[in-house]
Amino acid sequence: MSKLIFTVLALTFFLTLPVQANTASKEQLLRFARASGIYEQIEEQKVAMQSQGGQAAQQYAQQIKASIPGLPEQFSKDMAAEMEVYMSNLAGLIDTKFAVNTYIELISKKLSATEIDKLTAFYESELGIKYTRSNTEIMGEWTTVFMGILTKR
């Protein structure tokens, strides 16, 4: 009986060892997140959401006004003003630290420690830095375009 217990414990330990050895640490994941520009991308998206909030609110109010004939003009104006405040504050609800921690938790389930290290090395290289800067710069523009498309639907 003791041999069976020892065998089961030994197998459990040795079978899980490679998985444990190749799981990225929180420090590795945070370094990857910094190198890949996740923090900056989230902040760019927040800025774009704030700047587009007013425009989206106006378009939404116009769509409602067009779909409900006889709606008082003041109702449309009030609704647009309230929507603008809501949309502008929406970005403030996004906690960057929470968003990054959620991201690294999810990515750690998809990539091994070795893969995280290789990606981090790329993002810290000259080409990786250039890619990250370019990607961060277009993220705000992309969010603006995307929000414009959504509000037109």
Side-chain angles (χ1 to χ4, degrees):
M1 181 68 158
S2 62
K3 286 183 183 181
L4 178 63
I5 293 172
F6 175 75
T7 304
V8 169
L9 289 174
L11 283 173
T12 303
F13 175 76
F14 288 115
L15 291 176
T16 60
L17 188 60
V19 173
Q20 293 170 349
N22 207 11
T23 301
S25 69
K26 185 160 185 171
E27 291 76 26
Q28 283 175 296
L29 292 163
L30 287 171
R31 181 176 169 203
F32 167 72
R34 280 189 298 278
S36 63
I38 295 299
Y39 288 92
E40 292 83 0
Q41 289 176 24
I42 292 169
E43 291 303 316
E44 282 292 323
Q45 287 181 336
K46 288 166 62 173
V47 168
M49 286 173 68
Q50 287 175 325
S51 68
Q52 291 299 304
Q55 181 182 355
Q58 293 296 327
Q59 290 175 346
Y60 186 63
Q62 289 171 359
Q63 288 173 351
I64 289 179
K65 184 179 176 183
S67 67
I68 304 173
L71 192 65
E73 185 66 31
Q74 190 59 45
F75 178 83
S76 296
K77 288 179 182 178
D78 290 346
M79 190 195 73
E82 288 180 30
M83 285 294 296
E84 186 171 346
V85 169
Y86 171 76
M87 294 296 287
S88 295
N89 290 328
L90 187 62
L93 297 175
I94 300 171
D95 177 357
T96 302
K97 184 176 179 180
F98 175 77
V100 169
N101 283 330
T102 302
Y103 173 81
I104 64 172
E105 181 181 325
L106 294 170
I107 200 71
S108 71
K109 295 175 184 176
K110 304 290 182 184
L111 300 172
S112 69
T114 303
E115 292 166 329
I116 290 291
D117 286 341
K118 287 179 181 180
L119 283 168
T120 302
F122 165 73
Y123 283 118
E124 290 176 343
S125 72
E126 189 176 327
L127 178 59
I129 291 168
K130 183 175 182 179
Y131 169 76
T132 300
R133 284 188 187 142
S134 299
N135 195 39
T136 300
E137 289 172 8
I138 66 164
M139 191 54 63
E141 296 172 35
W142 178 86
T143 302
T144 299
V145 170
F146 186 70
M147 287 182 70
I149 291 170
L150 287 179
T151 58
K152 291 178 184 173
R153 288 186 176 182

